[in-house]
């Protein structure tokens, strides 16, 4: 199986709203922990290590390439 | 001075070779009489090799170091005749509890499968273990255990090593065809051969307190992440024998080791943990930091490294002494074959191949445990805490909790000594795997499968056309289920998928070398040759 990178969520606006709602009222440390748990729960649901590796790589490269170059 | 234990003092005995000034060449000299060196001596002796052990001290390990001894090392010690005594003296345990903050996260049970002679794990202080190993060495006519003998230097020649040794009577020289260096993480022998010892150091400190208390906790392993009595750090509690309890406090990198060792610092920590009313006595306190490192090669010419001299791991998972004993299990029969001229010297390179593979596996486990226990960043800690909180209710998250993965043997799945399967087996006893035990019945009554193994063995399910297979002077004897032993419980047949006709070739260290669905003497000879490193497989 490959990581699905095409739109796959029905009613994406409603999903995004529920993602915000899950941690909106919480202090930052708890909100972050909610996200960490979400990652773990979904990772277990996926299970497939190749898909997880692809997702990890995507998340990382999408973050790291946005970093401005370090000052010389 | 410990309240529950008095250190024995072993006598220095001047050796005739030093007195007479004659340089003798010994087949095997072991450096270091710790648990690994003493096991090496017993295993060499069991294989008929006369062995000299040199130790610069004259007592057992000071303080308490190794505690947990796992099933496979116990099986090896049982082969050497000391395993039953360890199990009898040690604390047998199988339940572990993990706590996060003020609540229990989950409980695991090692749930040892029935029908094995040795338990999953026992706890026994290293000094007790060493004392029994010393007694066994003293009882062996093949072991020459020499206290107050310090190795000063080592020079390699083609067919031996020259050792310069210092005793209270001065300096003398001796030669060894083979040296087994078991002189610990700070091995001087390793320095003498110029070997590299590299890996990761962990920026953390731990306080070990061994305390004596009569009452209290069950014989279980308790591990706390971030408990109320020791905020932000981890704590481990383990029962040892004589009512001695091991408590391990994570201190963090900034802790001052000398300050933390003082009773006025240690006692309040323990009181906070156990409660003010619990009476205890401090037996031993030390502060340590640790590293995960290994030697570049386990064999340097005539010197073979084993135990902490070859690999150093974090204490989580009890992988230190447990792996060291398995190094010896792997090495001793190979040395025997080489010394007898039944195998080329290159067979000893398979010691490096197989045990470096195991060491890397252990190092990976140990490093992962350490990374879980001591998160290296704020986000790592958040993920760790998320796992622990989920683990209270979610089974999947419990699998991610890592308070130390307890030592299990690493199968040599890629070893060049293995003959790969060509037929299908519904059994995990693949070539390179240590043999599973089972209850069996022999002439004299009920016994254990592993106790039947001696040298190379052919396990056959059903009758065989011949009773043995020979390569040079090495004979693999057939043990036939139905003729030589009875599998009353069916465990042996089930564990080895022993359909009629099935044959296993088993190495002297009780690892599977090859297996077939029918007895084919030519195939067995080829596998035996390969296992002796004789057909260019190395």
């Amino acid at each position: 199986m490959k990581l699905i990178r095409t739109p796959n969520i029905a009613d994406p606006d409603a999903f995004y709203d529920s993602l915000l709602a899950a941690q909106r009222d919480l202090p930052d440390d708890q909100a972050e922990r909610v996200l960490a748990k979400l990652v773990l729960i979904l990772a277990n649901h996926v299970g497939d290590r190749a898909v997880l590796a692809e997702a990890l790589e995507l998340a990382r490269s999408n973050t790291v390439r946005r970093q401005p170059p370090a000052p010389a | 001075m410990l309240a529950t234990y008095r250190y024995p003092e072993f006598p220095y005995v001047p050796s005739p070779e030093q007195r007479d000034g004659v340089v003798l060449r010994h087949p095997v000299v072991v450096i270091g009489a710790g648990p690994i060196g003493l096991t090496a001596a017993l295993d060499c002796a069991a294989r008929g090799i006369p062995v000299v052990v040199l130790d610069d001290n004259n007592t057992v390990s000071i303080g308490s170091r190794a505690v947990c001894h796992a099933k496979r090392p116990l099986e090896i010690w049982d082969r050497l005749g000391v395993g039953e005594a360890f199990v009898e003296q040690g604390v047998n345990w199988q339940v572990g509890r993990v706590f996060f903050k003020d609540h229990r996260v989950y409980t695991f049970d090692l749930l040892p499968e029935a029908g094995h002679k040795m338990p999953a794990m026992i706890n026994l202080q290293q000094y007790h273990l060493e004392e029994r190993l010393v007694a066994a060495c003293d009882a062996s006519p093949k072991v020459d255990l020499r206290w107050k003998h310090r190795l000063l230097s080592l020079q390699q020649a083609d067919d031996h090593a020259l050792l310069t040794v210092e005793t209270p009577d001065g300096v003398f020289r001796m030669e060894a065809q083979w040296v087994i260096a078991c002189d610990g993480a700070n091995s001087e022998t390793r320095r003498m051969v110029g070997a590299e010892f590299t890996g990761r150091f962990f920026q953390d400190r731990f306080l070990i307190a061994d305390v004596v208390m009569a009452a209290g906790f069950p014989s279980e392993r308790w591990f706390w992440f971030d408990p109320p009595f020791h905020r932000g750090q981890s704590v481990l509690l383990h029962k040892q024998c004589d009512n001695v309890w091991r408590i391990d406090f994570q201190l963090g990198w900034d802790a001052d080791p000398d300050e933390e060792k003082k009773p006025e610092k240690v006692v309040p920590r323990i009181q906070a943990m156990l409660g003010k009313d619990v009476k205890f006595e401090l037996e031993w306190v030390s502060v340590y930091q640790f590293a995960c490192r290994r030697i570049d090669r386990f064999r340097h010419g005539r010197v073979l490294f084993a135990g902490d001299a070859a690999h150093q791991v974090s204490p989580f998972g009890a992988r230190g002494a447990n792996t060291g004993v398995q190094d010896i299990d792997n090495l001793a029969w190979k040395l025997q074959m080489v010394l007898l001229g039944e195998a080329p010297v290159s067979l000893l390179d398979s010691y490096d191949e197989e045990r470096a593979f195991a060491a890397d596996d252990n190092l990976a486990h140990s490093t992962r445990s350490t990374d879980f226990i001591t998160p290296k960043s704020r986000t790592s800690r958040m993920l760790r805490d998320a796992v622990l909180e989920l683990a209270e209710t979610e089974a999947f998250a419990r699998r991610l909790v890592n308070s130390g993965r307890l030592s299990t043997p690493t199968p040599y799945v890629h070893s060049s000594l293995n003959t790969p399967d060509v037929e299908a087996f519904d059994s995990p006893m693949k070539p390179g795997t240590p043999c599973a035990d089972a209850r069996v019945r022999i002439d004299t009554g009920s016994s254990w499968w592993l106790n039947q193994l001696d040298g190379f063995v052919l396990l056959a399910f059903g009758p065989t056309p011949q009773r043995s297979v020979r390569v040079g002077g090495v004979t693999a004897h057939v043990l036939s289920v139905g003729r030589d032993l009875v599998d009353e419980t069916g465990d042996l047949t089930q564990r080895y998928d022993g359909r009629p006709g099935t044959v296993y070739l088993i190495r002297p260290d009780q690892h599977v070398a090859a297996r077939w669905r029918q007895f084919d003497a030519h195939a067995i000879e080829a596998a035996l040759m390969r296992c002796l490193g004789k057909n260019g497989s190395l």
Side-chain angles (χ1 to χ4, degrees):
Chain A
M1 206 172 82
K2 291 272 291 172
L3 180 72
I4 298 168
R5 290 175 70 173
T6 50
N8 193 37
I9 300 174
D11 197 354
D13 289 346
F15 160 72
Y16 196 79
D17 187 42
S18 63
L19 186 60
L20 295 184
Q23 40 77 38
R24 183 158 32 210
D25 57 329
L26 300 177
D28 277 347
D29 66 321
Q30 277 188 30
E32 286 171 358
R33 214 167 324 146
V34 167
L35 294 183
K37 286 175 185 172
L38 185 65
V39 167
L40 294 165
I41 291 163
L42 293 178
N44 183 63
H45 183 83
V46 171
D48 187 322
R49 285 282 308 281
V51 174
L52 292 172
E54 221 183 312
L56 281 168
E57 175 51 33
L58 174 59
R60 187 181 161 85
S61 64
N62 185 268
T63 305
V64 173
R65 71 179 161 81
R66 280 166 205 278
Q67 297 268 320
Chain B
M1 194 65 192
L2 304 189
T4 61
Y5 184 73
R6 218 174 127 208
Y7 290 100
E9 208 170 284
F10 305 117
Y12 161 70
V13 180
S15 67
E17 67 187 289
Q18 180 173 14
R19 190 189 57 218
D20 301 343
V22 188
V23 178
L24 295 182
R25 184 173 298 181
H26 302 273
V28 174
V29 172
V30 174
I31 311 298
I36 310 311
L38 294 166
T39 301
L42 290 178
D43 210 350
C44 285
R47 305 211 179 274
I49 310 167
V51 55
V52 179
V53 185
L54 308 179
D55 193 276
D56 57 3
N57 207 334
N58 66 341
T59 187
V60 294
S61 138
I62 301 289
S64 189
R65 298 198 292 183
V67 169
C68 305
H69 308 287
K71 180 159 166 291
R72 182 60 201 153
L74 290 171
E75 288 170 350
I76 295 165
W77 280 320
D78 191 42
R79 178 169 63 72
L80 300 174
V82 289
E84 289 179 10
F86 291 166
V87 173
E88 200 177 308
Q89 186 177 14
V91 175
N92 193 337
W93 66 276
Q94 61 188 70
V95 171
R97 296 187 196 282
V98 176
F99 302 85
F100 180 45
K101 298 188 171 157
D102 56 357
H103 42 265
R104 187 154 86 209
V105 173
Y106 85 109
T107 301
F108 64 81
D109 190 330
L110 298 173
L111 264 186
E113 187 184 53
H116 293 256
K117 180 174 176 182
M118 288 293 148
M121 202 63 93
I122 64 159
N123 288 356
L124 182 64
Q125 293 93 313
Q126 186 167 329
Y127 43 75
H128 284 311
L129 188 111
E130 285 184 18
E131 195 174 345
R132 285 180 182 276
L133 290 169
V134 168
C137 284
D138 284 344
S140 168
K142 295 235 181 261
V143 180
D144 180 354
L145 187 44
R146 300 188 193 174
W147 304 103
K148 292 281 178 198
H149 279 61
R150 181 189 185 81
L151 180 67
L152 293 181
S153 71
L154 180 150
Q155 284 159 284
Q156 304 244 21
D158 270 356
D159 60 349
H160 69 278
L162 176 64
L163 311 177
T164 306
V165 178
E166 185 182 46
T167 72
D169 286 318
V171 174
F172 76 107
R173 292 182 162 204
M174 60 197 296
E175 291 177 356
Q177 282 179 273
W178 298 99
V179 174
I180 310 179
C182 309
D183 48 348
N186 299 314
S187 171
E188 283 288 305
T189 318
R190 197 177 56 222
R191 195 184 47 72
M192 290 172 197
V193 303
E196 296 278 326
F197 194 54
T198 51
R200 258 176 87 183
F201 278 90
F202 292 93
Q203 300 217 320
D204 204 347
R205 294 184 206 280
F206 290 81
L207 171 77
I208 285 188
D210 280 345
V211 305
V212 190
M213 60 174 175
F217 303 85
S219 301
E220 298 175 345
R221 177 188 196 263
W222 287 18
F223 194 100
W224 288 264
F225 290 99
D226 194 10
F229 56 85
H230 194 53
R231 289 282 29 162
Q233 310 280 13
S234 67
V235 178
L236 174 64
L237 176 75
H238 247 311
K239 188 177 187 187
Q240 309 173 75
C241 68
D242 312 325
N243 287 322
V244 177
W245 295 78
R246 160 68 55 87
I247 309 174
D248 213 340
F249 291 97
Q250 183 187 19
L251 296 175
W253 182 236
D254 298 329
D256 177 344
D258 294 322
E259 201 54 35
E260 293 294 342
K261 267 188 286 199
K262 292 181 179 163
E264 59 264 37
K265 284 285 276 191
V266 177
V267 170
R269 282 198 195 286
I270 298 173
Q271 275 174 339
M273 174 181 177
L274 302 175
K276 285 256 184 257
D277 304 330
V278 176
K279 295 240 179 308
F280 65 88
E281 211 176 310
L282 279 183
E283 178 94 336
W284 175 260
V285 178
S286 57
V287 173
Y288 67 92
Q289 60 188 98
F290 56 79
C292 287
R293 305 185 276 181
R294 93 156 161 88
I295 198 166
D296 45 9
R297 282 173 289 125
F298 280 48
R299 178 183 168 213
H300 278 255
R302 290 269 149 177
V303 185
L304 300 141
F305 289 87
D308 283 4
H311 43 71
Q312 194 184 5
V313 292
S314 80
F316 305 108
R319 290 169 179 276
N322 281 316
T323 23
V325 171
Q326 292 169 80
D327 290 342
I328 298 305
D329 188 38
N330 188 286
L331 176 60
W333 71 270
K334 294 175 181 174
L335 271 177
Q336 177 197 19
M337 291 299 147
V338 170
L339 283 164
L340 288 172
E342 298 294 348
V345 164
S346 60
L347 177 63
L348 294 171
D349 291 327
S350 75
Y351 169 63
D352 174 70
E353 181 195 336
E354 294 182 334
R355 294 311 298 168
F357 178 71
D360 288 344
D361 185 41
N362 275 302
L363 286 163
H365 279 294
S366 180
T367 303
R368 288 169 178 179
S369 300
T370 305
D371 284 340
F372 193 88
I373 292 164
T374 312
K376 304 297 183 294
S377 69
R378 197 180 71 89
T379 308
S380 301
R381 177 173 291 270
M382 187 181 65
L383 283 167
R384 200 275 309 267
D385 291 353
V387 166
L388 287 169
E389 288 186 2
L390 278 170
E392 271 182 72
T393 56
E394 304 309 311
F396 85 84
R398 284 170 209 154
R399 297 284 300 273
L400 299 173
V401 174
N402 192 341
S403 68
R405 299 269 179 252
L406 298 171
S407 173
T408 51
T410 305
Y412 312 134
V413 284
H414 305 300
S415 172
S416 55
L417 304 187
N418 296 342
T419 297
D421 282 345
V422 286
E423 292 137 316
F425 283 83
D426 183 21
S427 153
M429 291 292 114
K430 286 195 261 297
T433 307
C435 286
D437 203 1
R439 202 174 255 296
V440 293
R441 178 163 289 280
I442 55 171
D443 283 352
T444 49
S446 181
S447 185
W448 295 97
W449 165 239
L450 294 183
N451 289 151
Q452 311 312 309
L453 298 174
D454 185 18
F456 281 99
V457 166
L458 290 160
L459 163 63
F461 291 88
T464 52
Q466 54 195 81
R467 293 278 179 117
S468 63
V469 171
R470 230 181 125 97
V471 166
V474 178
T475 305
H477 290 284
V478 172
L479 282 177
S480 166
V481 179
R483 185 188 70 202
D484 302 309
L485 52 96
V486 180
D487 179 21
E488 279 182 339
T489 59
D491 284 347
L492 191 69
T493 306
Q494 188 264 322
R495 286 171 191 167
Y496 290 78
D497 186 15
R499 279 178 247 161
T502 299
V503 178
Y504 278 75
L505 173 62
I506 297 167
R507 309 179 353 175
D509 59 3
Q510 306 182 340
H511 282 61
V512 174
R515 54 184 181 174
W516 304 269
R517 284 303 187 187
Q518 68 291 314
F519 192 101
D520 174 343
H522 290 295
I524 294 169
E525 271 168 39
L528 187 50
M529 295 265 285
R530 184 179 191 139
C531 201
L532 291 166
K534 274 184 138 171
N535 63 348
S537 62
L538 286 167

